[in-house]
Amino acid sequence: MTPMMRQYLDIKEQHKDAILMFRLGDFYEMFFEDAKTASRELELTLTGKSCGMDERAPMCGVPFHSADGYIARLVAKGYKVAICEQMEDPKQAKGIVHRDIIRIVTPGTIVDESFLSTRSTNYMASVFVEDGKCGVVFVDVSTGEMMGTAFGDDPNCDKLISELERFSPVEAAVGGKGRFHKRLEEYIRDHKESMLVFSYEGEDVSPSARATVDNHLTNGGEIKDPMLLTAAAALLEYLVETQKSDLSHIREIRIYSSGEFMDIDPGSRRNLELVETMRDKSKKGSIFWVLDRTRTSMGSRLLKSWIMRPLINAAAITNRLSGVEELVKTPSLREELGDALSDVLDIERLMGRVSMGLCNAKDLVSLRSSFAALPRIYKALCSCRSVIMNTQAAMFDCLDDVYDILDRAIVDEPPATLREGGLIKPGYNEDIDRLRGASEHGRGSLGSIEARERERTGIKNLKIKYNKVFGYYIEISKSNLDKVPEDYIRKQTTVNGERFITPELKDVENAVIGANERLEALEYEEFVRVRNRVGAEVERIDRTARAIATADCLYSLAETAVKNNYVRPEITLTDEIYIKDGRHPVVEKVLKNGLFVPNDTELDCGANRAAIITGPNMAGKSTYMRQVAVITLMAQMGSFVPASKCRIGIVDKIFTRIGASDDLAAGQSTFTLEMSEVSYILKNATKNSLCILDEVGRGTSTYDGLSIAWAVIEHIVKKIGMKTLFATHYHELTVLEERLDGVKNYNTACKKRGDDITFLRKIVRGGTDDSYGIEVAKLSGVPNPVIKRAKEVLATVERGSVGGEPRQVKDEPQLSFAAVEESPVAEALRKIDVTTLTPIEAMNELYKLQQMLDG
Ligand code: ADP
Ligand code: MG
């Protein structure tokens, strides 16, 4: 086996779980199984390399200068990639070049720009679970944000899983005896496509954890919980092991308790479409989509986390609301702040790369241009009067000194490479200027040599040229060869003439090349000095970045409030939710201007505890209930709300159970899923919660469903006492208003004329006794014969139920199969080729269709 191959195998042995990219000259090569995997995943040609064994080793490679993209693609597909570099200059190496792993790239630790979507966070989680207790830590390596929490009592991992859902990490380290808990294993299995997981042995709380944590974090001492401590230490050790770099930007952990935030379970977060829609998981159509008018990616990420974790502390909420209000009321200030914010790039992530030694000169230029905007932002913050804005101003640092260094040191448009010079501005470093001068002087002297030699030889077209093989040479065309002086040394004959060198030319060349080499080395050194100088200020810079993110969120909420005509909610310590003319922020945006019908809401823990909402399908029940939850949530995150007046008594948790057939994908039947969600709600709700139940009991037979719905409402109203909205098609439930204190009936107003029905989308007091099912069926295009037959059946059923008899079909109705065949109108419609139809023809077709309907 060749020595190189032996070196490769030694290194590979230590990194079996990763694809090893092995630097050979200008390429990163992969061998054996890694080569096969990479060639398949990256569509690279698989070749072979003789390595001293019988067979050639399968091999494929990528050029080192474009490796980042390939690495990112492998990581995106869930692989780890270990990068092995040449640790010395191959020219100077004695024997085999020393090589070592410089970094292991994983989904949770990648900081490559092309991979990270700027608007969302990329979390890695570390979890330690034991005896029903657990600690969990999340870190975004690209920005240095780290936070953790612990649960002293979480036997079923519910709380843990809720946190995992909230952060949706792309990678997780899982340790402790409890890591095999059934629920946790299920969660991991369900997320194996999107989350790379490794479990580590740690059976006991690690004794060295305290030292590890104190070593890396300035506030490690704040971690008291042993589970959290072990999880944090495991994470830090893993990061050091894989990144092999200074992680100075990860230096603080924010320990939170889930009690600081409104509790929203993962299912409800999905149901309410907080950050993505249920159907296609897109941002468009979500609450985040409506609210996000941030100008920076840092602001956008923070806003998302505000939506995912609304507050429950009245003072903190009011603080945010007052900041928003100030910006709403002062348009000039808002505009100025927005403009200034637009010039700020992703400082957090840029600083991540600076701290990890992965940034290039372009990154420093990005930081510089961001810092240039700071004085304007600071000025805007200082002219604000709200407490929250003043707090941001107090945290703020205009970083003049750092800006100054960057401004003086780094050229405006540096190259992407760091080793080929062209990075440092003139006037920053004397040695660099001197070498540049020498190099330029050398090149300049070539001109005078050329002129002198033309004179001396009398060859008018004598030229000094340069190529990589000979360096500088003199070119003489064929016709002038007889005039070549004795002292020229012939180097090469070409078609058109000959090439010569002279000792003088070689002296100049050595000076120029020597100067260039030293220049490149010196520029790189200076670049690293500047980078480290900026890196040393990470604390000030991060603090300022956080202030910017907060200001940007408030800006975004203010801008949205103005554009969408929202009002400031009043936050109270009562148990009341009062909304006048409330709208659903997303539905109102999707509908054309002014079509959305506003509705009022009045809930409390007394006479208006539960609202039972009846009405036909498509009448707007679900939209109404979601709008109440969403407005409450928006108010508690500090946003203005779509209403004309709003008072929110702080809610501790929001629960939703919204019938979604999509859930079938999870493999559970709708009904079991529904019931497990209901049981979760009943077990976790408090008097201060808000609950939305949409068509509970639908997944089973009528009587079962009705009885379950009935019992659930009774339990909620009597035992829990929380505010509840309950949409149902069981009209029987409206009798609860008389039987239970706190229950009020509502229905969705409809206008009915003959068989036709119009939805007014207005929620009004009182129950309905008519489900309008048949009318809705008609509206939805069910063929006329079926509608007609349905009415006959209904009549039979209703006759059957007269006299207190159970509703049962006495005469088995004979449903004709002809009725379910497609109507001729639909058939004709299908045949029309819309792409070739002229407007006149379309009118004619429409006319014909109408005729068919009447006939
Ligand atoms: P339900 O739950 O009663 O079946 P939905 O809430 O799903 O009804 O509403 C059906 C459709 O009606 C929605 O897609 C929406 O376009 C429209 N809609 C709902 N509420 C309103 C409203 N307040 N104003 C205007 N359109 C509405
Ligand atoms: Mg509905």
Side-chain angles (χ1 to χ4, degrees):
M1 209 188 293
T2 59
M4 186 227 72
M5 201 33 92
R6 208 168 305 130
Q7 184 187 36
Y8 171 86
L9 289 173
D10 279 348
I11 296 176
K12 178 67 197 174
E13 181 65 25
Q14 296 156 36
H15 298 279
K16 286 193 183 122
D17 61 341
I19 291 181
L20 179 58
M21 286 197 169
F22 193 74
R23 178 74 180 266
L24 278 181
D26 283 347
F27 280 81
Y28 286 114
E29 302 288 4
M30 288 153 278
F31 298 104
F32 306 107
E33 281 310 307
D34 286 356
K36 291 182 192 163
T37 311
S39 76
R40 188 177 63 239
E41 299 285 10
L42 301 174
E43 291 164 23
L44 298 170
T45 320
L46 193 63
T47 60
K49 186 175 178 71
S50 49
C51 51
M53 294 186 285
D54 291 349
E55 277 173 46
R56 285 157 65 86
M59 172 175 96
C60 71
V62 297
F64 86 97
H65 57 80
S66 61
D68 285 351
Y70 291 106
I71 296 169
R73 273 163 65 195
L74 284 175
V75 172
K77 286 168 187 277
Y79 296 99
K80 284 187 184 187
V81 179
I83 301 173
C84 178
E85 270 300 340
Q86 295 169 171
M87 301 309 279
E88 55 188 344
D89 188 338
K91 277 183 245 159
Q92 276 146 29
K94 298 188 188 68
I96 185 139
V97 182
H98 175 52
R99 290 188 177 81
D100 207 351
I101 299 289
I102 55 152
R103 198 156 76 93
I104 300 168
V105 189
T106 69
T109 59
I110 193 163
V111 291
D112 186 78
E113 235 175 324
S114 56
F115 176 82
L116 296 172
S117 102
T118 51
R119 296 255 147 185
S120 70
T121 27
N122 197 57
Y123 287 113
M124 154 132 204
S126 172
V127 173
F128 192 80
V129 197
E130 219 165 67
D131 306 328
K133 289 182 285 199
C134 67
V136 53
V137 179
F138 297 96
V139 67
D140 180 346
V141 177
S142 71
T143 65
E145 179 192 20
M146 183 177 191
M147 60 203 118
T149 192
F151 300 111
D153 175 30
D154 191 20
N156 279 318
C157 296
D158 284 332
K159 294 173 187 160
L160 172 62
I161 287 170
S162 179
E163 284 309 289
L164 289 171
E165 290 259 6
R166 167 139 67 193
F167 286 88
S168 47
V170 291
E171 183 172 358
V174 184
K177 283 197 279 288
R179 70 183 186 273
F180 300 116
H181 189 283
K182 184 164 147 281
R183 287 282 316 276
L184 190 56
E185 288 204 324
E186 251 169 43
Y187 178 84
I188 291 171
R189 201 174 49 238
D190 289 347
H191 290 77
K192 66 172 184 291
E193 298 286 318
S194 56
M195 183 173 84
L196 179 70
V197 173
F198 61 93
S199 97
Y200 58 91
E201 282 306 320
E203 289 290 304
D204 291 309
V205 170
S206 150
S208 62
R210 174 59 64 198
T212 308
V213 163
D214 286 345
N215 241 336
H216 284 90
L217 303 175
T218 53
N219 68 338
E222 289 175 26
I223 308 180
K224 302 278 189 269
D225 183 275
M227 307 288 145
L228 180 56
L229 186 67
T230 304
L235 182 63
L236 288 166
E237 274 164 18
Y238 174 75
L239 292 180
V240 169
E241 189 189 307
T242 55
Q243 300 314 295
K244 305 192 191 300
S245 80
D246 178 9
L247 295 163
S248 57
H249 66 306
I250 304 174
R251 43 162 225 293
E252 210 180 87
I253 183 168
R254 205 174 82 73
I255 300 166
Y256 65 95
S257 82
S258 45
E260 284 173 57
F261 305 106
M262 178 200 269
D263 195 359
I264 323 170
D265 60 285
S268 299
R269 259 179 247 138
R270 275 194 300 272
N271 281 337
L272 297 173
E273 307 193 301
L274 296 187
V275 296
E276 60 184 25
T277 59
M278 286 215 265
R279 193 184 304 161
D280 52 10
K281 309 257 169 261
S282 67
K283 175 182 170 187
K284 186 165 194 281
S286 67
I287 306 298
F288 183 42
W289 170 69
V290 176
L291 296 182
D292 186 14
R293 290 174 190 260
T294 55
R295 296 292 180 94
T296 69
S297 357
M298 300 177 287
S300 179
R301 288 194 298 264
L302 183 63
L303 185 68
K304 193 170 181 178
S305 85
W306 283 13
I307 295 175
M308 294 296 256
R309 14 176 56 201
L311 305 173
I312 52 175
N313 177 294
I317 300 170
T318 308
N319 201 17
R320 283 187 193 170
L321 284 171
S322 300
V324 175
E325 176 165 25
E326 177 166 40
L327 292 176
V328 165
K329 290 191 169 157
T330 335
S332 58
L333 191 58
R334 187 173 74 242
E335 201 171 305
E336 172 59 21
L337 181 63
D339 280 354
L341 286 169
S342 305
D343 293 333
V344 176
L345 299 165
D346 201 336
I347 299 177
E348 287 173 342
R349 284 202 176 150
L350 288 164
M351 283 311 289
R353 285 205 289 278
V354 168
S355 295
M356 294 169 81
L358 295 171
C359 85
N360 60 25
K362 284 178 184 301
D363 292 333
L364 292 188
V365 172
S366 301
L367 278 176
R368 176 175 80 204
S369 65
S370 303
F371 294 168
L374 299 183
R376 258 181 94 191
I377 301 176
Y378 184 61
K379 195 161 154 266
L381 293 178
C382 288
S383 42
C384 290
R385 256 176 279 171
S386 55
V387 175
I388 190 164
M389 285 301 193
N390 290 339
T391 315
Q392 306 318 309
M395 275 172 72
F396 210 86
D397 188 325
C398 284
L399 300 163
D400 294 330
D401 52 332
V402 190
Y403 172 80
D404 185 57
I405 295 167
L406 288 172
D407 188 41
R408 283 189 296 117
I410 308 292
V411 299
D412 294 341
E413 287 181 14
T417 53
L418 294 176
R419 303 274 187 180
E420 287 162 26
L423 307 171
I424 305 295
K425 265 190 189 164
Y428 185 71
N429 175 313
E430 276 178 25
D431 292 339
I432 290 177
D433 289 347
R434 202 167 31 74
L435 281 170
R436 249 188 221 141
S439 152
E440 265 156 35
H441 175 77
R443 257 176 277 146
S445 66
L446 290 170
S448 44
I449 295 176
E450 195 178 66
R452 196 192 63 212
E453 289 301 304
R454 276 184 192 165
E455 183 95 345
R456 177 162 83 102
T457 57
I459 304 173
K460 289 223 175 54
N461 63 357
L462 177 148
K463 272 203 184 86
I464 295 180
K465 291 185 166 176
Y466 178 84
N467 77 19
K468 275 207 180 135
V469 184
F470 303 131
Y472 291 106
Y473 59 87
I474 298 171
E475 191 161 72
I476 310 281
S477 60
K478 257 187 196 158
S479 55
N480 288 316
L481 284 175
D482 55 330
K483 295 185 194 148
V484 169
E486 287 286 301
D487 53 338
Y488 280 20
I489 304 158
R490 179 182 293 113
K491 269 307 204 188
Q492 193 188 24
T493 306
T494 66
V495 190
N496 301 321
E498 292 190 357
R499 293 170 173 178
F500 301 88
I501 57 168
T502 69
E504 185 193 21
L505 210 50
K506 286 301 114 177
D507 284 348
V508 173
E509 177 182 310
N510 287 337
V512 171
I513 293 174
N516 276 345
E517 269 178 10
R518 259 174 301 146
L519 183 63
E520 283 162 13
L522 211 56
E523 285 205 52
Y524 178 71
E525 272 172 36
E526 192 60 65
F527 166 80
V528 171
R529 253 197 301 279
V530 173
R531 182 177 75 195
N532 292 345
R533 181 69 189 74
V534 175
E537 301 303 335
V538 63
E539 193 274 329
R540 287 164 67 203
I541 299 174
D542 263 4
R543 182 155 41 81
T544 306
R546 278 205 304 276
I548 291 175
T550 306
D552 196 12
C553 278
L554 298 168
Y555 162 81
S556 173
L557 293 177
E559 187 71 11
T560 308
V562 172
K563 290 271 152 55
N564 297 355
N565 199 15
Y566 293 173
V567 298
R568 176 177 179 158
E570 188 186 328
I571 302 297
T572 73
L573 295 174
T574 64
D575 57 15
E576 168 197 47
I577 290 182
Y578 171 79
I579 302 167
K580 175 102 188 111
D581 301 321
R583 284 124 48 204
H584 190 292
V586 176
V587 180
E588 81 160 338
K589 261 200 116 162
V590 175
L591 288 176
K592 297 240 166 49
N593 261 349
L595 278 184
F596 192 90
V597 180
N599 273 303
D600 303 343
T601 306
E602 237 187 304
L603 290 169
D604 51 44
C605 291
N608 300 297
R609 223 171 302 164
I612 293 180
I613 305 165
T614 45
N617 271 326
M618 289 300 289
K621 300 184 297 298
S622 302
T623 307
Y624 173 70
M625 296 201 302
R626 283 151 170 265
Q627 128 191 347
V628 175
V630 166
I631 288 176
T632 306
L633 186 145
M634 282 168 69
Q636 289 189 219
M637 72 175 270
S639 171
F640 280 26
V641 296
S644 66
K645 199 166 178 8
C646 175
R647 281 194 304 273
I648 302 286
I650 291 171
V651 157
D652 66 347
K653 308 175 187 195
I654 290 183
F655 297 98
T656 65
R657 159 61 222 170
I658 290 175
S661 45
D662 311 351
D663 280 335
L664 279 175
Q668 264 174 308
S669 86
T670 331
F671 184 65
T672 22
L673 185 75
E674 181 177 343
M675 286 305 113
S676 72
E677 283 185 21
V678 167
S679 94
Y680 175 83
I681 296 174
L682 298 183
K683 278 186 209 148
N684 290 280
T686 77
K687 193 168 184 293
N688 299 318
S689 311
L690 171 66
C691 177
I692 280 173
L693 297 170
D694 200 345
E695 311 269 17
V696 162
R698 187 171 220 175
T700 183
S701 78
T702 312
Y703 290 114
D704 282 2
L706 174 59
S707 327
I708 290 167
W710 186 296
V712 166
I713 299 181
E714 259 183 9
H715 182 84
I716 288 178
V717 172
K718 287 203 214 150
K719 295 273 159 46
I720 302 175
M722 66 176 154
K723 294 177 276 292
T724 304
L725 294 162
F726 196 107
T728 182
H729 58 285
Y730 296 126
H731 302 284
E732 294 83 346
L733 289 175
T734 53
V735 303
L736 281 171
E737 182 179 273
E738 290 149 32
R739 301 199 184 182
L740 276 178
D741 275 351
V743 176
K744 289 264 163 75
N745 288 330
Y746 292 87
N747 71 87
T748 47
C750 300
K751 211 160 64 187
K752 192 173 162 184
R753 190 184 291 144
D755 277 355
D756 290 318
I757 181 167
T758 322
F759 299 129
L760 302 178
R761 317 279 189 215
K762 205 72 193 164
I763 306 289
V764 294
R765 276 286 277 128
T768 36
D769 45 18
D770 193 339
S771 74
Y772 303 105
I774 293 176
E775 290 80 0
V776 175
K778 186 177 168 199
L779 201 67
S780 316
V782 174
N784 269 333
V786 179
I787 298 286
K788 209 166 135 231
R789 183 64 185 132
K791 280 195 212 154
E792 286 166 23
V793 177
L794 181 66
T796 326
V797 173
E798 280 178 350
R799 233 179 295 122
S801 69
V802 172
E805 294 232 20
R807 290 187 171 188
Q808 234 176 44
V809 182
K810 286 282 165 65
D811 322 312
E812 194 60 37
Q814 295 284 305
L815 201 58
S816 136
F817 279 110
V820 285
E821 276 173 14
E822 194 165 74
S823 89
V825 179
E827 215 171 286
L829 257 176
R830 238 180 263 290
K831 283 191 189 136
I832 298 176
D833 181 3
V834 183
T835 52
T836 63
L837 217 55
T838 68
I840 300 282
E841 283 167 353
M843 298 287 280
N844 286 335
E845 287 296 335
L846 265 178
Y847 180 71
K848 267 192 251 166
L849 289 171
Q850 256 184 358
Q851 296 270 297
M852 284 166 82
L853 270 183
D854 294 343

